[in-house]
Amino acid sequence: MKHLKLGSCPDLSFWIIIYRKIVDPAKRENLPLGTWFLELGICILVLGACSFSIAQVDIYGYFEPQFSGMYYDSAFYQVNYNKLRIDLKSTAVKNIEFGANVIYLLYFGKKDWDILDFLPEHIVSTIPSEMYPYYQLTFKDTLFLDNAYARVNIRRLALTVGKQQISMGTGYFSNPTDILNTKDALDPTYEQPGHNAIRLNLYIGNRMNLMGLYTPIASDWENSGKLVRAKIGISHFDFSVSGHEYQHTSTNFYTFQQTQERRMLIGADFVGELLGLGVWGEGIYNFIEDEDDDFYEFIVGTDYTFESGLYGMLEYHRNSLGKSDYTEYNLNDWMRFFTGETKTISQDQVYGFIQYPLTDLINIGGSIIVCVSDKSVAFVPTINYSLFENVDLMLMGNFYVGDEGKTFSSSLGNGGFFRTTVYF
Amino acid sequence: MNCFTNLLKIISCAAVVLCALSISSQLYAQDMTADEIINTMTETMNPDQSQGRMKMTIMTTSGQERTFEYETFSKNQGEKSLMKYVKPTRVKDQAILMLNNADDIWVYFPRTKRVRKLATHAKKQKVEGSDFSYEDMGASNTFIDEYDAVRHNDEKKEGRQCYKIELTRKSESSASYSRIVMWVDKEYMVPLVIGYYHEDDPKLWEKQLVCSDIQLIDGIYTPMKFVMYNKLDNTHTSMEIIEVTYKVELPDNLFTEQGMQQ
């Protein structure tokens, strides 16, 4: 549903960024001083590195126009964007890497959307009419610093400071152990936004490493995020365990009031091979301070490549925060799903993915996402074509099969997008 | 005069010794078993450590060329290897780490900063759409561990005298090819031509690798050019060594997640 609402564009991460940082600038202003200071400091470092040794700075990136369309309520709508990402990377100073990237997004087409148009009538009827304007969403052109970090490598130690991409977990469609990012199940491999953090990696031996991560999301140490993670390789398996203490913000979308709560997450993941199949899994148990609403989430998956080149993958995902009865979905469930506050609205999901190399330049395939809890299905066919050495084309559709009010309701409309990526 | 006579004696002796060595070497070579040839070839092709830069050109079915450049590092006779893409920009900084002779493969995607471990079945997948699979690129000891070798009559290939060896997959092996036929240069002990046969049909010729431009680098004979012909798809991929050295001391932490990301 959220994907349709957002013009069938699968890169949810960007919508979340827009929602949090552009559409809701108040949140941006409320970011702690430390965060801004960190960004500024790293900017200076990166720009400094660039200026003293411009010849040793790699400048690269990509231009990505995307055309998205959807049929909804017997009408065709489109929301498109042109995205330019410019990356800088320098290793001019021995053992230190500076990296940064800037993203410029220009929208065109239908930029103003009303979320209420996509919610079931029985939910809209619970919202006071004077609150309707709060459910308007506008895609605004934006320029932002997505990443800016310095990474220091000293023997088996790596310290990364600044706004950086952080990826955790072994799941493909979703990563329960990764509370910093929310993957879009329609396009799960798309890049994630950067996060302000201080990260320390200690590599012990060839297949063991420890990670400590501090994310200054609050104004003080106590309420900021702290994560420790240990990873070890045994035989053909990699295992990791993690503990993450963080502050979670919940929004009441009836009143738009926000509440903070401390959470403690204990997680583990593995990836390896069993009987010739690739297998992986990851799970968490989340303790919520001062409340009895602890929840758990896990995902398990398997994959295989056939001799013909056909690749197949299957994942099962359970989120105990999701609901098993779709008639109980309420406004908060939907809106928290839209904004990434929660990863799924339903409790059980099955994901399938296949890909076949039709030629050496064309891959065809697609995903099927089944919400087992509410018995709705999304079909997501894809075609990838490598047009030139640095030009990729991608065509993706989304077709929903489900009754109104379900996660993938056919009444939400169907659509797709055409994306060109030109790397330079 | 005495000096001249002594010099002649020394040269004569040396010539006799060299001649004897040469004859004994040829006799030894003629007596080499299939396993010995495969072992010697594997040793030659997998020096203790190496660092280089390679260029891979894929000729697609539509006649387009795709060029990739990457840095390679290997250690422990190829038991550990790391590839880092340099060009084109689309895959810049993407890295592939292979440990335990490519039994364990990890791929690092710089755009998402994610490291993904691939299972053994992924070894069949094409590397960046080329005609080389991960198994073709990474497994240094495959010929020894996964196959039984039989020596056939010597043949001339690519204008050179060669041993002809046929490898048949062991019953317990999960290697991607049921049969491999190769011609190993008698002098350089490097393969000149390798024919790969389909996983399920030992008569179905799937690929052919041709190695050429053999040069002596740091005392090791090295084919500088490889071309893999895909007989089923009618495509081919060439790889050229732009530069390589075997006199390096690579740190162990290069072959870790840390090394992939640096």
Side-chain angles (χ1 to χ4, degrees), chain A residues 19-295:
Chain A
Y19 181 83
R20 291 182 176 165
K21 297 189 175 179
I22 306 300
V23 179
D24 187 6
K27 285 189 181 179
R28 183 81 177 154
E29 286 166 12
N30 289 336
L31 280 175
L33 187 63
T35 304
W36 287 107
F37 185 72
L38 204 61
E39 282 187 14
L40 184 65
I42 296 307
C43 271
I44 292 166
L45 278 174
V46 172
L47 293 173
C50 295
S51 62
F52 82 74
S53 182
I54 194 74
Q56 290 172 285
V57 175
D58 281 343
I59 301 175
Y60 55 97
Y62 62 83
F63 169 62
E64 188 177 85
Q66 177 173 300
F67 300 88
S68 312
M70 64 175 289
Y71 277 102
Y72 169 74
D73 201 17
S74 303
F76 177 77
Y77 300 98
Q78 61 175 353
V79 56
N80 312 306
Y81 69 71
N82 287 312
K83 177 182 170 186
L84 177 67
R85 171 172 161 153
I86 298 174
D87 285 81
L88 303 175
K89 187 176 168 187
S90 172
T91 49
V93 181
K94 194 183 174 189
N95 294 329
I96 299 179
E97 175 189 314
F98 297 101
N101 72 275
V102 173
I103 291 175
Y104 194 17
L105 274 163
L106 291 170
Y107 291 96
F108 58 103
K110 182 174 168 55
K111 294 196 281 188
D112 299 313
W113 294 80
D114 188 347
I115 295 174
L116 301 181
D117 289 344
F118 297 89
L119 293 175
E121 186 53 43
H122 72 273
I123 288 178
V124 176
S125 63
T126 64
I127 303 168
S129 57
E130 64 270 21
M131 296 296 287
Y132 285 0
Y134 290 95
Y135 299 93
Q136 303 293 316
L137 182 67
T138 300
F139 296 118
K140 293 179 180 173
D141 297 345
T142 176
L143 171 68
F144 63 97
L145 188 66
D146 187 34
N147 287 279
Y149 65 88
R151 180 181 164 104
V152 184
N153 287 290
I154 305 167
R155 293 178 180 272
R156 289 183 174 270
L157 201 72
L159 176 68
T160 313
V161 181
K163 202 173 179 198
Q164 55 192 288
Q165 278 190 325
I166 299 162
S167 299
M168 281 175 285
T170 53
Y172 179 79
F173 284 93
S174 185
N175 295 111
T177 56
D178 185 355
I179 60 108
L180 297 169
N181 303 295
T182 304
K183 278 183 173 176
D184 180 355
L186 297 192
D187 192 10
T189 58
Y190 201 80
E191 66 197 27
Q192 298 285 0
H195 302 278
N196 286 297
I198 299 169
R199 178 168 48 156
L200 186 68
N201 286 90
L202 177 61
Y203 298 89
I204 307 164
N206 292 337
R207 290 181 61 188
M208 182 176 178
N209 77 70
L210 302 174
M211 181 174 88
L213 183 79
Y214 174 65
T215 47
I217 53 173
S219 55
D220 57 4
W221 164 268
E222 192 184 346
N223 289 306
S224 290
K226 285 148 294 208
L227 178 146
V228 288
R229 184 168 186 258
K231 184 176 178 183
I232 187 166
I234 301 172
S235 184
H236 295 310
F237 278 82
D238 283 349
F239 299 91
S240 71
V241 290
S242 57
H244 196 167
E245 188 187 20
Y246 62 102
Q247 180 173 275
H248 180 78
T249 301
S250 290
T251 308
N252 182 331
F253 284 94
Y254 290 99
T255 60
F256 283 87
Q257 284 184 328
Q258 292 188 323
T259 53
Q260 270 83 35
E261 61 194 17
R262 295 295 300 163
R263 289 184 176 183
M264 166 68 89
L265 172 155
I266 303 295
D269 64 61
F270 71 92
V271 56
E273 189 175 339
L274 207 61
L275 304 172
L277 299 170
V279 291
W280 60 88
E282 92 182 79
I284 56 149
Y285 192 87
N286 227 312
F287 301 92
I288 301 176
E289 195 177 85
D290 303 329
E291 286 187 43
D292 294 327
D293 294 332
D294 295 353
F295 66 93

Side-chain angles (χ1 to χ4, degrees), chain B:
Chain B
M1 186 67 184
N2 271 345
C3 279
F4 181 69
T5 309
N6 286 340
L7 188 62
L8 272 179
K9 281 180 181 173
I10 290 167
I11 291 170
S12 303
C13 284
V16 168
V17 169
L18 281 173
C19 192
L21 278 174
S22 170
I23 290 166
S24 66
S25 165
Q26 283 177 21
L27 283 173
Y28 171 70
Q30 280 169 5
D31 289 334
M32 283 177 87
T33 64
D35 287 340
E36 287 168 343
I37 293 167
I38 292 296
N39 286 342
T40 310
M41 184 203 76
T42 301
E43 272 179 34
T44 307
M45 294 297 287
N46 296 285
D48 185 44
Q49 302 197 36
S50 72
Q51 179 176 349
R53 194 176 176 102
M54 301 191 76
K55 181 180 172 183
M56 182 164 78
T57 307
I58 304 170
M59 181 60 75
T60 67
T61 43
S62 56
Q64 292 186 48
E65 273 193 5
R66 294 294 157 85
T67 306
F68 298 83
E69 245 181 70
Y70 55 89
E71 293 176 311
T72 62
F73 308 86
S74 76
K75 197 169 181 176
N76 299 351
Q77 285 86 37
E79 183 262 327
K80 298 176 177 183
S81 64
L82 175 65
M83 289 171 56
K84 284 184 173 181
Y85 284 95
V86 179
K87 292 177 184 172
T89 318
R90 182 169 63 83
V91 292
K92 182 180 158 59
D93 293 335
Q94 190 171 307
I96 302 168
L97 173 66
M98 292 184 256
L99 300 182
N100 303 319
N101 294 301
D103 274 348
D104 293 296
I105 305 172
W106 293 263
V107 183
Y108 169 64
F109 300 96
R111 203 171 154 185
T112 53
K113 295 277 190 283
R114 184 171 283 276
V115 175
R116 187 163 180 83
K117 189 177 190 304
L118 304 181
T120 308
H121 60 76
K123 285 159 73 172
K124 300 170 191 166
Q125 290 176 1
K126 294 177 171 187
V127 178
E128 285 301 329
S130 74
D131 295 300
F132 289 91
S133 65
Y134 287 100
E135 185 170 348
D136 297 333
M137 303 276 275
S140 62
N141 65 341
T142 300
F143 300 144
I144 298 171
D145 293 347
E146 308 288 341
Y147 293 88
D148 291 318
V150 173
R151 181 177 166 185
H152 293 293
N153 290 334
D154 297 348
E155 288 182 3
K156 208 168 185 180
K157 205 77 176 173
E158 306 288 312
R160 306 274 306 168
Q161 286 297 327
C162 294
Y163 300 112
K164 183 181 178 184
I165 306 292
E166 181 173 349
L167 304 172
T168 308
R169 187 175 54 195
K170 291 176 180 171
S171 55
E172 69 275 15
S173 167
S174 60
S176 296
Y177 305 104
S178 59
R179 192 165 72 96
I180 292 172
V181 180
M182 65 171 67
W183 286 262
V184 181
D185 189 294
K186 283 188 166 185
E187 183 185 356
Y188 303 138
M189 291 308 288
V190 299
L192 294 185
V193 177
I194 304 178
Y196 297 94
Y197 290 79
H198 194 268
E199 181 177 30
D200 300 323
D201 184 356
K203 290 180 181 171
L204 183 59
W205 192 12
E206 188 176 337
K207 292 181 190 174
Q208 184 184 48
L209 180 70
V210 177
C211 310
S212 59
D213 189 16
I214 296 161
Q215 293 181 20
L216 191 63
I217 311 275
D218 294 338
I220 294 171
Y221 286 110
T222 308
M224 300 299 281
K225 189 169 182 182
F226 308 81
V227 184
M228 182 71 94
Y229 296 91
N230 190 320
K231 300 291 182 182
L232 304 179
D233 296 344
N234 200 27
T235 55
H236 67 266
T237 300
S238 69
M239 279 208 291
E240 287 174 62
I241 298 177
I242 299 169
E243 57 186 32
V244 67
T245 177
Y246 303 120
K247 291 180 177 172
V248 284
E249 193 59 48
L250 299 171
D252 280 334
N253 65 342
L254 180 64
F255 302 94
T256 63
E257 274 191 28
Q258 183 188 23
M260 294 173 86
Q261 294 175 42
Q262 278 180 11

